[in-house]
Amino acid sequence: ILYTGPCPNQLLMPTIDWAMKSLKKRRFALLGSDFIYSHAAHAVLTDAIEARNGSVVFNDFLPLSAFADVTRLMTQLKQLRGT
């Protein structure tokens, strides 16, 4: 694997810390493109969120060509807001 930018933990840990501290968020939805970086990022994020007593309530990947699926996923995410 060759990363040409920051590794997921270098980029995402500060974001999770900020969301949990500044926004008081504990529930997270993870949505990414279906390729290796997103899978690695979701694994790192899930571990970090759970270690901080948060939860991942949605975890999905979209094929890069799946524009039609975005509507379906947005509907699912909106439904999660009410729970």
Short mmCIF file of all heavy atoms in Angstrom, two decimals, residues 32-80:
data_model
loop_
_atom_site.label_atom_id
_atom_site.label_comp_id
_atom_site.label_asym_id
_atom_site.label_seq_id
_atom_site.Cartn_x
_atom_site.Cartn_y
_atom_site.Cartn_z
N GLY A 32 -18.02 5.95 2.99
CA GLY A 32 -16.83 6.16 2.18
C GLY A 32 -16.94 5.47 0.85
O GLY A 32 -17.86 4.69 0.59
N SER A 33 -15.99 5.76 -0.02
CA SER A 33 -15.90 5.08 -1.31
C SER A 33 -15.32 3.69 -1.07
O SER A 33 -14.53 3.49 -0.15
CB SER A 33 -15.01 5.86 -2.26
OG SER A 33 -15.56 7.13 -2.50
N ASP A 34 -15.71 2.76 -1.90
CA ASP A 34 -15.29 1.37 -1.72
C ASP A 34 -13.89 1.15 -2.30
O ASP A 34 -13.73 0.59 -3.38
CB ASP A 34 -16.32 0.44 -2.35
CG ASP A 34 -16.13 -1.00 -1.92
OD1 ASP A 34 -15.30 -1.25 -1.02
OD2 ASP A 34 -16.81 -1.87 -2.48
N PHE A 35 -12.89 1.61 -1.56
CA PHE A 35 -11.51 1.31 -1.91
C PHE A 35 -10.70 1.26 -0.63
O PHE A 35 -11.21 1.56 0.45
CB PHE A 35 -10.93 2.27 -2.97
CG PHE A 35 -10.77 3.69 -2.53
CD1 PHE A 35 -9.52 4.16 -2.12
CD2 PHE A 35 -11.83 4.57 -2.53
CE1 PHE A 35 -9.35 5.48 -1.73
CE2 PHE A 35 -11.67 5.89 -2.12
CZ PHE A 35 -10.43 6.33 -1.73
N ILE A 36 -9.47 0.89 -0.69
CA ILE A 36 -8.67 0.53 0.48
C ILE A 36 -8.56 1.66 1.51
O ILE A 36 -8.62 1.40 2.71
CB ILE A 36 -7.26 0.02 0.06
CG1 ILE A 36 -6.50 -0.55 1.25
CG2 ILE A 36 -6.46 1.12 -0.62
CD1 ILE A 36 -7.09 -1.80 1.82
N TYR A 37 -8.41 2.89 1.08
CA TYR A 37 -8.25 3.97 2.05
C TYR A 37 -9.48 4.10 2.94
O TYR A 37 -9.36 4.23 4.16
CB TYR A 37 -7.96 5.31 1.34
CG TYR A 37 -7.64 6.41 2.32
CD1 TYR A 37 -6.33 6.62 2.74
CD2 TYR A 37 -8.64 7.23 2.85
CE1 TYR A 37 -6.03 7.61 3.65
CE2 TYR A 37 -8.34 8.22 3.77
CZ TYR A 37 -7.04 8.42 4.16
OH TYR A 37 -6.73 9.39 5.08
N SER A 38 -10.67 4.05 2.36
CA SER A 38 -11.88 4.17 3.15
C SER A 38 -12.04 3.00 4.12
O SER A 38 -12.46 3.18 5.26
CB SER A 38 -13.12 4.27 2.25
OG SER A 38 -13.09 5.47 1.53
N HIS A 39 -11.73 1.81 3.67
CA HIS A 39 -11.82 0.65 4.56
C HIS A 39 -10.85 0.79 5.73
O HIS A 39 -11.21 0.51 6.89
CB HIS A 39 -11.56 -0.65 3.79
CG HIS A 39 -12.72 -1.08 2.95
ND1 HIS A 39 -13.71 -1.90 3.43
CD2 HIS A 39 -13.06 -0.77 1.68
CE1 HIS A 39 -14.60 -2.11 2.48
NE2 HIS A 39 -14.23 -1.42 1.40
N ALA A 40 -9.63 1.23 5.46
CA ALA A 40 -8.65 1.44 6.53
C ALA A 40 -9.10 2.57 7.44
O ALA A 40 -9.02 2.46 8.68
CB ALA A 40 -7.28 1.77 5.93
N ALA A 41 -9.62 3.65 6.87
CA ALA A 41 -10.08 4.78 7.66
C ALA A 41 -11.24 4.38 8.57
O ALA A 41 -11.29 4.75 9.75
CB ALA A 41 -10.49 5.94 6.75
N HIS A 42 -12.18 3.61 8.06
CA HIS A 42 -13.32 3.17 8.86
C HIS A 42 -12.88 2.29 10.02
O HIS A 42 -13.41 2.40 11.13
CB HIS A 42 -14.35 2.44 8.00
CG HIS A 42 -15.17 3.35 7.15
ND1 HIS A 42 -16.46 3.05 6.80
CD2 HIS A 42 -14.88 4.54 6.58
CE1 HIS A 42 -16.93 4.03 6.04
NE2 HIS A 42 -15.99 4.93 5.89
N ALA A 43 -11.90 1.43 9.79
CA ALA A 43 -11.39 0.58 10.87
C ALA A 43 -10.74 1.42 11.96
O ALA A 43 -11.00 1.22 13.15
CB ALA A 43 -10.40 -0.44 10.30
N VAL A 44 -9.92 2.37 11.56
CA VAL A 44 -9.26 3.26 12.52
C VAL A 44 -10.30 4.10 13.26
O VAL A 44 -10.25 4.25 14.48
CB VAL A 44 -8.23 4.16 11.80
CG1 VAL A 44 -7.73 5.28 12.69
CG2 VAL A 44 -7.06 3.33 11.29
N LEU A 45 -11.25 4.66 12.52
CA LEU A 45 -12.29 5.49 13.14
C LEU A 45 -13.15 4.70 14.11
O LEU A 45 -13.44 5.17 15.21
CB LEU A 45 -13.18 6.11 12.06
CG LEU A 45 -12.59 7.29 11.32
CD1 LEU A 45 -13.42 7.61 10.09
CD2 LEU A 45 -12.50 8.49 12.23
N THR A 46 -13.57 3.51 13.72
CA THR A 46 -14.41 2.70 14.60
C THR A 46 -13.68 2.41 15.91
O THR A 46 -14.25 2.57 17.00
CB THR A 46 -14.82 1.39 13.90
OG1 THR A 46 -15.58 1.73 12.74
CG2 THR A 46 -15.64 0.51 14.80
N ASP A 47 -12.42 2.01 15.83
CA ASP A 47 -11.65 1.75 17.05
C ASP A 47 -11.54 3.00 17.91
O ASP A 47 -11.71 2.94 19.13
CB ASP A 47 -10.25 1.24 16.70
CG ASP A 47 -10.24 -0.18 16.15
OD1 ASP A 47 -11.28 -0.88 16.29
OD2 ASP A 47 -9.21 -0.59 15.59
N ALA A 48 -11.24 4.12 17.28
CA ALA A 48 -11.07 5.37 18.03
C ALA A 48 -12.38 5.84 18.67
O ALA A 48 -12.40 6.28 19.82
CB ALA A 48 -10.52 6.46 17.11
N ILE A 49 -13.46 5.75 17.93
CA ILE A 49 -14.76 6.19 18.43
C ILE A 49 -15.18 5.32 19.62
O ILE A 49 -15.61 5.82 20.66
CB ILE A 49 -15.81 6.16 17.30
CG1 ILE A 49 -15.51 7.28 16.30
CG2 ILE A 49 -17.22 6.29 17.86
CD1 ILE A 49 -16.25 7.15 14.98
N GLU A 50 -15.05 4.01 19.46
CA GLU A 50 -15.44 3.10 20.54
C GLU A 50 -14.54 3.24 21.76
O GLU A 50 -15.01 3.15 22.90
CB GLU A 50 -15.47 1.67 20.03
CG GLU A 50 -16.62 1.44 19.05
CD GLU A 50 -16.63 0.07 18.41
OE1 GLU A 50 -15.66 -0.72 18.61
OE2 GLU A 50 -17.60 -0.23 17.69
N ALA A 51 -13.26 3.50 21.56
CA ALA A 51 -12.33 3.71 22.68
C ALA A 51 -12.68 4.97 23.47
O ALA A 51 -12.33 5.09 24.64
CB ALA A 51 -10.90 3.79 22.17
N ARG A 52 -13.38 5.90 22.82
CA ARG A 52 -13.78 7.16 23.46
C ARG A 52 -15.26 7.11 23.91
O ARG A 52 -15.88 8.13 24.10
CB ARG A 52 -13.55 8.32 22.50
CG ARG A 52 -12.07 8.60 22.25
CD ARG A 52 -11.88 9.45 21.00
NE ARG A 52 -10.51 9.88 20.80
CZ ARG A 52 -9.55 9.14 20.29
NH1 ARG A 52 -9.77 7.88 19.95
NH2 ARG A 52 -8.33 9.62 20.13
N ASN A 53 -15.79 5.90 24.04
CA ASN A 53 -17.18 5.68 24.47
C ASN A 53 -18.22 6.23 23.50
O ASN A 53 -19.31 6.62 23.92
CB ASN A 53 -17.41 6.24 25.88
CG ASN A 53 -16.56 5.53 26.90
OD1 ASN A 53 -16.45 4.31 26.88
ND2 ASN A 53 -15.94 6.29 27.78
N GLY A 54 -17.89 6.27 22.24
CA GLY A 54 -18.85 6.64 21.21
C GLY A 54 -19.32 5.39 20.48
O GLY A 54 -18.91 4.27 20.81
N SER A 55 -20.17 5.58 19.49
CA SER A 55 -20.64 4.43 18.71
C SER A 55 -20.76 4.79 17.24
O SER A 55 -21.03 5.94 16.89
CB SER A 55 -21.98 3.93 19.24
OG SER A 55 -22.97 4.93 19.12
N VAL A 56 -20.53 3.80 16.41
CA VAL A 56 -20.73 3.93 14.97
C VAL A 56 -22.10 3.34 14.68
O VAL A 56 -22.32 2.15 14.84
CB VAL A 56 -19.62 3.20 14.18
CG1 VAL A 56 -19.91 3.26 12.69
CG2 VAL A 56 -18.27 3.81 14.49
N VAL A 57 -23.04 4.20 14.26
CA VAL A 57 -24.41 3.76 14.03
C VAL A 57 -24.69 3.44 12.57
O VAL A 57 -25.75 2.90 12.24
CB VAL A 57 -25.43 4.81 14.55
CG1 VAL A 57 -25.28 5.00 16.05
CG2 VAL A 57 -25.27 6.13 13.82
N PHE A 58 -23.75 3.78 11.70
CA PHE A 58 -23.91 3.54 10.27
C PHE A 58 -22.53 3.39 9.68
O PHE A 58 -21.63 4.18 9.98
CB PHE A 58 -24.64 4.73 9.63
CG PHE A 58 -24.95 4.57 8.17
CD1 PHE A 58 -26.09 3.90 7.77
CD2 PHE A 58 -24.11 5.09 7.20
CE1 PHE A 58 -26.39 3.74 6.42
CE2 PHE A 58 -24.39 4.94 5.86
CZ PHE A 58 -25.54 4.27 5.47
N ASN A 59 -22.34 2.36 8.85
CA ASN A 59 -21.03 2.11 8.24
C ASN A 59 -21.29 1.51 6.87
O ASN A 59 -21.80 0.39 6.76
CB ASN A 59 -20.24 1.15 9.12
CG ASN A 59 -18.82 0.96 8.65
OD1 ASN A 59 -18.33 1.69 7.79
ND2 ASN A 59 -18.15 -0.02 9.20
N ASP A 60 -20.97 2.25 5.81
CA ASP A 60 -21.25 1.76 4.46
C ASP A 60 -20.21 2.28 3.48
O ASP A 60 -19.52 3.27 3.75
CB ASP A 60 -22.64 2.19 4.01
CG ASP A 60 -23.23 1.26 2.95
OD1 ASP A 60 -22.51 0.40 2.41
OD2 ASP A 60 -24.42 1.40 2.66
N PHE A 61 -20.08 1.60 2.36
CA PHE A 61 -19.15 1.96 1.30
C PHE A 61 -19.90 2.01 -0.03
O PHE A 61 -20.72 1.15 -0.31
CB PHE A 61 -18.02 0.94 1.21
CG PHE A 61 -17.23 0.80 2.47
CD1 PHE A 61 -17.54 -0.17 3.39
CD2 PHE A 61 -16.20 1.68 2.74
CE1 PHE A 61 -16.83 -0.30 4.57
CE2 PHE A 61 -15.47 1.57 3.92
CZ PHE A 61 -15.79 0.58 4.84
N LEU A 62 -19.60 3.00 -0.81
CA LEU A 62 -20.20 3.15 -2.14
C LEU A 62 -19.17 2.86 -3.22
O LEU A 62 -18.05 3.37 -3.15
CB LEU A 62 -20.67 4.59 -2.36
CG LEU A 62 -21.97 5.03 -1.73
CD1 LEU A 62 -22.17 6.51 -1.97
CD2 LEU A 62 -23.11 4.24 -2.31
N PRO A 63 -19.56 2.07 -4.24
CA PRO A 63 -18.67 1.95 -5.39
C PRO A 63 -18.45 3.34 -6.00
O PRO A 63 -19.34 4.20 -5.91
CB PRO A 63 -19.44 1.04 -6.35
CG PRO A 63 -20.45 0.35 -5.51
CD PRO A 63 -20.77 1.28 -4.39
N LEU A 64 -17.33 3.55 -6.59
CA LEU A 64 -17.03 4.86 -7.16
C LEU A 64 -18.03 5.29 -8.22
O LEU A 64 -18.22 6.47 -8.45
CB LEU A 64 -15.61 4.88 -7.72
CG LEU A 64 -14.50 4.73 -6.68
CD1 LEU A 64 -13.15 4.64 -7.37
CD2 LEU A 64 -14.53 5.86 -5.68
N SER A 65 -18.70 4.35 -8.85
CA SER A 65 -19.66 4.68 -9.91
C SER A 65 -21.11 4.64 -9.43
O SER A 65 -22.02 4.64 -10.23
CB SER A 65 -19.49 3.70 -11.07
OG SER A 65 -19.76 2.38 -10.62
N ALA A 66 -21.35 4.64 -8.13
CA ALA A 66 -22.70 4.41 -7.59
C ALA A 66 -23.43 5.69 -7.23
O ALA A 66 -23.89 5.88 -6.12
CB ALA A 66 -22.60 3.51 -6.38
N PHE A 67 -23.60 6.58 -8.19
CA PHE A 67 -24.28 7.84 -7.90
C PHE A 67 -25.72 7.63 -7.44
O PHE A 67 -26.22 8.32 -6.58
CB PHE A 67 -24.26 8.76 -9.12
CG PHE A 67 -22.88 9.20 -9.49
CD1 PHE A 67 -22.29 8.74 -10.65
CD2 PHE A 67 -22.16 10.06 -8.66
CE1 PHE A 67 -21.01 9.14 -10.99
CE2 PHE A 67 -20.88 10.45 -9.00
CZ PHE A 67 -20.30 9.99 -10.16
N ALA A 68 -26.41 6.66 -8.00
CA ALA A 68 -27.81 6.41 -7.64
C ALA A 68 -27.95 5.97 -6.19
O ALA A 68 -28.95 6.24 -5.55
CB ALA A 68 -28.41 5.37 -8.57
N ASP A 69 -26.96 5.29 -5.64
CA ASP A 69 -27.02 4.81 -4.27
C ASP A 69 -26.93 5.94 -3.25
O ASP A 69 -27.27 5.75 -2.09
CB ASP A 69 -25.92 3.80 -4.00
CG ASP A 69 -26.23 2.43 -4.55
OD1 ASP A 69 -27.39 2.20 -4.93
OD2 ASP A 69 -25.32 1.60 -4.60
N VAL A 70 -26.47 7.10 -3.64
CA VAL A 70 -26.33 8.21 -2.71
C VAL A 70 -27.70 8.59 -2.14
O VAL A 70 -27.83 8.84 -0.94
CB VAL A 70 -25.64 9.42 -3.37
CG1 VAL A 70 -25.67 10.63 -2.46
CG2 VAL A 70 -24.22 9.06 -3.76
N THR A 71 -28.72 8.60 -2.96
CA THR A 71 -30.07 8.93 -2.48
C THR A 71 -30.52 7.93 -1.43
O THR A 71 -31.06 8.30 -0.39
CB THR A 71 -31.06 8.97 -3.66
OG1 THR A 71 -30.61 9.94 -4.60
CG2 THR A 71 -32.45 9.32 -3.18
N ARG A 72 -30.31 6.66 -1.67
CA ARG A 72 -30.68 5.61 -0.71
C ARG A 72 -29.95 5.81 0.61
O ARG A 72 -30.54 5.75 1.68
CB ARG A 72 -30.36 4.23 -1.29
CG ARG A 72 -30.60 3.08 -0.30
CD ARG A 72 -30.13 1.74 -0.86
NE ARG A 72 -28.72 1.69 -1.20
CZ ARG A 72 -27.73 1.45 -0.34
NH1 ARG A 72 -28.00 1.25 0.93
NH2 ARG A 72 -26.48 1.40 -0.74
N LEU A 73 -28.66 6.09 0.53
CA LEU A 73 -27.87 6.27 1.75
C LEU A 73 -28.28 7.52 2.52
O LEU A 73 -28.33 7.52 3.75
CB LEU A 73 -26.38 6.29 1.41
CG LEU A 73 -25.84 4.96 0.96
CD1 LEU A 73 -24.43 5.11 0.44
CD2 LEU A 73 -25.89 3.93 2.06
N MET A 74 -28.59 8.58 1.81
CA MET A 74 -29.03 9.80 2.49
C MET A 74 -30.34 9.57 3.22
O MET A 74 -30.56 10.07 4.32
CB MET A 74 -29.14 10.96 1.50
CG MET A 74 -27.82 11.39 0.91
SD MET A 74 -26.53 11.73 2.14
CE MET A 74 -27.21 13.17 2.94
N THR A 75 -31.23 8.79 2.63
CA THR A 75 -32.49 8.44 3.28
C THR A 75 -32.22 7.66 4.57
O THR A 75 -32.81 7.93 5.61
CB THR A 75 -33.39 7.63 2.33
OG1 THR A 75 -33.65 8.42 1.17
CG2 THR A 75 -34.69 7.23 3.00
N GLN A 76 -31.31 6.71 4.50
CA GLN A 76 -30.97 5.92 5.70
C GLN A 76 -30.36 6.81 6.78
O GLN A 76 -30.68 6.66 7.96
CB GLN A 76 -29.98 4.81 5.33
CG GLN A 76 -30.59 3.70 4.52
CD GLN A 76 -29.56 2.68 4.08
OE1 GLN A 76 -28.43 3.01 3.77
NE2 GLN A 76 -29.96 1.41 4.06
N LEU A 77 -29.50 7.73 6.39
CA LEU A 77 -28.87 8.62 7.37
C LEU A 77 -29.91 9.53 8.02
O LEU A 77 -29.86 9.77 9.23
CB LEU A 77 -27.77 9.45 6.70
CG LEU A 77 -26.52 8.68 6.33
CD1 LEU A 77 -25.59 9.55 5.49
CD2 LEU A 77 -25.80 8.16 7.56
N LYS A 78 -30.84 10.03 7.25
CA LYS A 78 -31.90 10.88 7.82
C LYS A 78 -32.72 10.11 8.82
O LYS A 78 -33.13 10.66 9.85
CB LYS A 78 -32.77 11.45 6.71
CG LYS A 78 -32.09 12.54 5.91
CD LYS A 78 -32.98 13.03 4.78
CE LYS A 78 -32.26 14.05 3.93
NZ LYS A 78 -33.08 14.49 2.78
N GLN A 79 -32.99 8.85 8.55
CA GLN A 79 -33.75 8.02 9.48
C GLN A 79 -33.00 7.82 10.78
O GLN A 79 -33.59 7.77 11.85
CB GLN A 79 -34.09 6.67 8.84
CG GLN A 79 -35.10 6.78 7.72
CD GLN A 79 -35.27 5.47 6.96
OE1 GLN A 79 -34.49 4.55 7.09
NE2 GLN A 79 -36.32 5.43 6.13
N LEU A 80 -31.69 7.73 10.72
CA LEU A 80 -30.87 7.56 11.92
C LEU A 80 -30.91 8.78 12.84
O LEU A 80 -30.77 8.65 14.04
CB LEU A 80 -29.42 7.26 11.55
CG LEU A 80 -29.14 5.85 11.06
CD1 LEU A 80 -27.71 5.77 10.54
CD2 LEU A 80 -29.37 4.84 12.16
#
